[in-house]
Amino acid sequence: MKAVFAKLGSDFFSTIIFVVLYFSTGNVALATIVAVLGAAAQFGYARIKGLRLDVMAYASVAMVVVLGGATLLTDDPLFMLIKPSIGHIAVGVLMLRRDWMARYVTPRIAAAIPDYVRVAGYLWAALMLLLGAGVIAAALTGDIKLWTFYVMVIAPAFKVVALAAQYLVFRAAIRSRSRAANVQPGAEPIAAES
């Protein structure tokens, strides 16, 4: 689980920097500049160490630069409200790649239930696209309280519920396949993930 969060942190490093700085200072320009500098440092470090960054890391930097820049240029309140949907939709589209989720599960899970991992990846893409549409719908109501509740409570709650459901389904699928493999003569048992 620690490795999964490390990969997510690496892939969304510049976005995390932007969000933390923006919510702590309220300064879009500062958050954008520091996030871009952080991304440049991350890419430089990866280059020096010979590490390969995933497409999600590049998308994270692109979102910070494009969305932060657009916010600075437009200074439009409606754009500010709709902007989180762009991130959700962009990530949702990236999640439509086949087997993108295999990077975020242990090799044992990827080997034991690759079909579940693939389907979960597509379900996450659908969830992100739906949440993005929800942000737009909440923004178009013009009710800032409703929008804030959706962005700060409802969308994160759906992600937490989806993560918990995925964990339970993966765990049950691995146990089921492990039992089935143990029943078949000559089959190697599959160890269940905790």
Side-chain angles (χ1 to χ4, degrees):
M1 191 60 120
K2 189 176 177 181
V4 169
F5 285 117
K7 287 176 186 172
L8 284 170
S10 172
D11 287 352
F12 293 101
F13 180 69
S14 60
T15 303
I16 293 167
I17 290 174
F18 177 84
V19 169
V20 168
L21 275 175
Y22 177 69
F23 281 114
S24 63
T25 67
N27 188 331
V28 176
L30 175 67
T32 302
I33 291 167
V34 173
V36 170
L37 290 174
Q42 179 188 24
F43 283 100
Y45 177 79
R47 187 103 154 151
I48 290 168
K49 292 288 187 178
L51 303 173
R52 184 180 165 273
L53 295 174
D54 191 65
V55 69
M56 292 288 205
Y58 292 103
S60 175
V61 173
M63 283 192 300
V64 166
V65 172
V66 171
L67 297 178
T71 300
L72 293 172
L73 292 173
T74 64
D75 197 31
D76 179 6
L78 182 60
F79 177 73
M80 296 272 294
L81 296 178
I82 290 177
K83 190 169 73 167
S85 72
I86 298 168
H88 279 92
I89 292 168
V91 169
V93 168
L94 286 172
M95 288 177 169
L96 290 172
R97 290 183 307 142
R98 182 179 169 94
D99 293 329
W100 72 267
M101 186 177 269
R103 171 174 160 53
Y104 298 100
V105 297
T106 65
R108 284 179 21 199
I109 291 174
I113 54 170
D115 49 337
Y116 281 78
V117 174
R118 183 172 301 120
V119 169
Y122 291 128
L123 290 174
W124 273 101
L127 176 63
M128 294 303 285
L129 294 169
L130 285 171
L131 291 176
V135 170
I136 293 170
L140 292 176
T141 67
D143 184 349
I144 193 69
K145 288 181 182 177
L146 173 66
W147 179 87
T148 303
F149 184 72
Y150 181 84
V151 170
M152 301 302 284
V153 177
I154 294 175
F158 269 97
K159 293 172 194 171
V160 168
V161 168
L163 187 62
Q166 176 183 303
Y167 173 79
L168 293 173
V169 168
F170 280 13
R171 187 175 174 97
I174 289 172
R175 282 191 174 153
S176 173
R177 290 199 178 166
S178 178
R179 275 189 239 122
N182 288 335
V183 170
Q184 296 174 359
E188 271 193 44
I190 302 170
E193 284 290 315
S194 300

